[in-house]
Amino acid sequence: MTFVNWLKRRLVVIAGLLTLAYLLLPNIVVTVFSFNNPKGRFNYEWQEFSTEAWRDPCGVSGLCGSLTLSLRIALWATLGATLLGTMIAFALVRYRFRARGAVNSLIFLPMAMPEVVMAASLLTLFLNMGAQLGFWTILIAHIMFCLSFVVVAVKARVMSMDPRLEQAAQDLYAGPFQTFVRVTLPIAAPGIAAGALLAFALSFDDFIITNFNAGSTVTFPMFVWGSAQRGTPVQINVIGTAMFVIAVVLVLVSMVAGNRRNRRKA
């Protein structure tokens, strides 16, 4: 009975740890195989330990070029989607206008719509406009489908804001700009940051919409897909591992910084 009681008390924790381990398993496999030295073209079976791919991560032609392109597109798409999404979120929460309910509903369509449908629709739009497929069509498409996620993240934060704080700032003779910069923006910053991070991840990782609207342009996900048809270089695992480690470090740094701020406030 003692073991059963112990298991009941820690069942949620155990389930959470097992779920986390299941989610991290692909990342562990990618990390392990980044040190592999495959004999053939495909890096699917362990052969022997090697750090050659880590010493030359750009050893495969076109890999670092596609990675740089994906980072550029993701950064610009994040900037555009965050600016537009933040303004839309504030407008939907703070103002009353005609078709406000319809706009609220339309915001969720890109999130609910299958990516292949949106990709085909955007391709049709660009072809009818006579646009040349490439960097700019990818960027416009990414901003369009990232916009909804930013709006939802920022809108949830803005709805939880206490308007009395802004009214107090105005009572203390702060102008509209000062109130926004010193009160509204700092309070909304976590939601804006969450939307921006989500937009960056979605843009960098996207394949379906990019594949439809890229033309001859090759982003990193498209490079990985193409390499999987011909042979998977170990450098792809190296880049994936490096990005995973960077993401984990950023999360840990933000957690430590948040804990320090909370201790100072306490």
Side-chain angles (χ1 to χ4, degrees):
M1 290 298 294
T2 304
F3 175 75
V4 174
N5 293 332
W6 178 88
L7 186 62
K8 287 181 179 179
R9 289 196 300 268
R10 292 167 174 79
L11 185 60
V12 175
V13 176
I14 295 173
L17 291 175
L18 290 176
T19 303
L20 182 62
Y22 176 76
L23 293 174
L24 291 178
L25 184 60
N27 297 301
I28 296 173
V29 173
V30 169
T31 302
V32 170
F33 276 81
S34 68
F35 294 98
N36 188 26
N37 184 22
K39 302 302 181 182
R41 295 180 302 165
F42 296 95
N43 186 26
Y44 297 153
E45 296 182 3
W46 180 263
Q47 300 293 334
E48 60 182 4
F49 180 85
S50 174
T51 59
E52 181 180 353
W54 281 93
R55 293 195 298 268
D56 188 17
C58 295
V60 179
S61 176
L63 189 150
C64 285
S66 64
L67 177 63
T68 303
L69 178 62
S70 286
L71 290 173
R72 285 174 53 204
I73 292 174
L75 287 172
W76 284 111
T78 300
L79 180 62
T82 303
L83 288 175
L84 293 174
T86 301
M87 291 189 288
I88 293 172
F90 271 93
L92 290 174
V93 175
R94 295 293 179 86
Y95 299 97
R96 299 293 182 269
F97 53 89
R98 291 183 179 179
R100 179 171 172 267
V103 174
N104 264 317
S105 301
L106 289 173
I107 287 296
F108 288 94
L109 278 182
M111 302 173 64
M113 185 184 301
E115 280 195 42
V116 67
V117 176
M118 181 182 292
S121 302
L122 288 169
L123 176 60
T124 303
L125 173 65
F126 292 137
L127 292 178
N128 287 332
M129 293 175 59
Q132 183 177 0
L133 299 181
F135 176 87
W136 292 108
T137 54
I138 297 174
L139 179 59
I140 293 171
H142 282 203
I143 292 176
M144 290 184 69
F145 84 84
C146 290
L147 187 61
S148 298
F149 295 90
V150 176
V151 172
V152 171
V154 179
K155 183 182 173 184
R157 182 65 178 179
V158 175
M159 290 178 66
S160 65
M161 292 171 56
D162 189 352
R164 291 176 296 181
L165 296 175
E166 295 168 296
Q167 295 170 4
Q170 294 170 0
D171 290 340
L172 295 172
Y173 303 103
F177 180 76
Q178 287 179 311
T179 302
F180 178 77
V181 172
R182 296 191 176 185
V183 179
T184 307
L185 190 59
I187 297 176
I192 297 173
L197 291 174
L198 185 58
F200 181 86
L202 290 170
S203 175
F204 182 84
D205 188 55
D206 181 75
F207 172 77
I208 298 176
I209 294 177
T210 305
N211 190 41
F212 271 74
N213 300 281
S216 59
T217 304
V218 179
T219 61
F220 183 68
M222 294 177 65
F223 180 88
V224 173
W225 179 82
S227 298
Q229 314 303 312
R230 303 183 302 270
T232 310
V234 184
Q235 281 81 356
I236 290 178
N237 295 64
V238 172
I239 298 297
T241 302
M243 295 182 65
F244 174 71
V245 171
I246 291 173
V248 171
V249 170
L250 290 176
V251 171
L252 292 177
V253 169
S254 65
M255 289 177 61
V256 172
N259 290 333
R260 288 183 177 179
R261 284 197 301 267
N262 293 333
R263 290 176 183 175
R264 290 175 183 175
K265 291 179 181 179

